[in-house]
Amino acid sequence: MKIPVYLFILSLALSPESACGLQNLFKPVSFGGLGGSVSRKTKALEDELLSAISNEGSRLANSESVASLIGRLKSQNPTPEPAIAPRVYGRWRLLYTNNADTSSPIQRSAVNAQKYSIYQDIIVNDNTSQLQVNQVVKFSDSVALSVDALASTAAYPLEELTERKSGTTFGLSILGVSLVGKEAEPDPERPNSRISFVFDEGNFDFGSFRIPYPVPFRLPLLRDAVKGWIDITYLSERLRIARGNKGTTFVLLKENDNIA
């Protein structure tokens, strides 16, 4: 039985876009550094990583060579405080995610559907001045699914996103198994690397009309279960590597700084 690709969104408590022209990226406030330029050695590692991912032939894999390159790049991160650095904002395309034990069957099935582009948009909503991390699956030029999440960083704090609880409802985890305890704590050696989020709204966009996504993200009973975070472990002008609250690693490529 094939699992519909759009259901992937619920498993990204990401893994990690207000696409489809609903929000625009306006100049964000940032307290982080601009980030240094990438050295030739680091750029060569980026190129090697992109090549290794391409050779996998799938966005979902457990590649030792990819994991090794990711580890080497983490130690050469050119951007301090990446979660609040100006270069973090914009549209990012998902290139690769590992098959963590905590990933759901939905995620494993959906990410393998190479014909659909999957994006993550990190934006500031120009109507609310609220940081958002939005997931977008593009089925075609005119059809997309966007699931928007309110987000929180030191630059854009959101009171709701304080310490996360268990992430379960009636003992069931809606978005998969999240890390807990020390594994879930931010790395003190990497300040301002975490973006916390809570899924808030979803829509199928067919160009001329939209259909709401049938998940009650704002229902108080479910609210804590749809919260998560991403830790940015590497950020350059073109690549972002992140670890989600389920322990999954993501590699994303910068598409645009501005989202129309």
Side-chain angles (χ1 to χ4, degrees):
M1 177 179 175
K2 294 185 177 179
I3 299 174
V5 174
Y6 60 79
L7 291 178
F8 158 69
I9 294 299
L10 286 180
S11 68
L12 273 183
L14 26 187
S15 101
E17 311 168 359
S18 123
C20 312
L22 299 180
Q23 293 99 357
N24 295 318
L25 174 69
F26 69 89
K27 190 173 182 180
V29 175
S30 175
F31 302 109
L34 295 175
S37 59
V38 174
S39 68
R40 290 184 180 180
K41 179 181 178 181
T42 302
K43 185 179 183 303
L45 275 178
E46 286 189 354
D47 291 339
E48 194 174 346
L49 175 60
L50 292 173
S51 178
I53 290 173
S54 178
N55 290 337
E56 286 298 321
S58 172
R59 282 186 294 230
L60 179 62
N62 275 329
S63 167
E64 291 184 5
S65 61
V66 170
S68 175
L69 289 165
I70 287 174
R72 292 165 66 187
L73 278 172
K74 285 181 183 178
S75 66
Q76 300 181 39
N77 177 33
T79 309
E81 302 185 313
I84 58 174
R87 62 175 52 162
V88 76
Y89 302 97
R91 165 158 287 189
W92 298 84
R93 178 165 55 89
L94 180 66
L95 298 181
Y96 175 90
T97 178
N98 66 342
N99 188 4
D101 293 337
T102 53
S103 64
S104 69
I106 293 172
Q107 181 176 346
R108 290 192 294 271
S109 299
V111 177
N112 267 324
Q114 295 288 105
K115 63 181 178 179
Y116 302 125
S117 294
I118 299 174
Y119 301 97
Q120 188 176 82
D121 296 346
I122 301 178
I123 69 162
V124 177
N125 186 303
D126 57 359
N127 294 318
T128 64
S129 297
Q130 173 62 56
L131 181 67
Q132 295 181 201
V133 177
N134 303 328
Q135 321 301 327
V136 176
V137 178
K138 294 282 287 185
F139 300 107
S140 69
D141 290 340
S142 59
V143 180
L145 169 63
S146 176
V147 175
D148 303 345
L150 304 179
S152 180
T153 64
Y156 291 95
L158 182 64
E159 184 176 356
E160 177 183 1
L161 292 170
T162 55
E163 183 179 355
R164 190 167 184 260
K165 299 178 183 178
S166 65
T168 62
T169 301
F170 298 124
L172 300 176
S173 177
I174 294 176
L175 298 175
V177 181
S178 295
L179 300 177
V180 295
K182 289 186 178 180
E183 286 188 283
E185 294 177 1
D187 186 345
E189 296 183 0
R190 299 176 183 270
N192 287 317
S193 295
R194 174 167 294 187
I195 301 177
S196 299
F197 64 86
V198 55
F199 287 114
D200 191 62
E201 181 181 15
N203 288 285
F204 293 96
D205 192 328
F206 295 91
S208 58
F209 66 96
R210 299 194 311 171
I211 298 176
Y213 190 72
V215 175
F217 293 122
R218 297 176 183 174
L219 187 68
L221 189 63
L222 301 179
R223 196 62 172 172
D224 192 64
V226 296
K227 292 177 181 177
W229 45 259
I230 50 176
D231 284 337
I232 301 171
T233 57
Y234 180 87
L235 178 66
S236 69
E237 290 290 352
R238 67 169 174 166
L239 276 183
R240 177 164 59 91
I241 300 172
R243 178 173 176 260
N245 58 282
K246 293 188 292 181
T248 306
T249 295
F250 302 90
V251 179
L252 304 100
L253 183 71
K254 190 67 164 290
E255 292 273 305
N256 293 299
D257 288 320
N258 298 296
I259 303 168

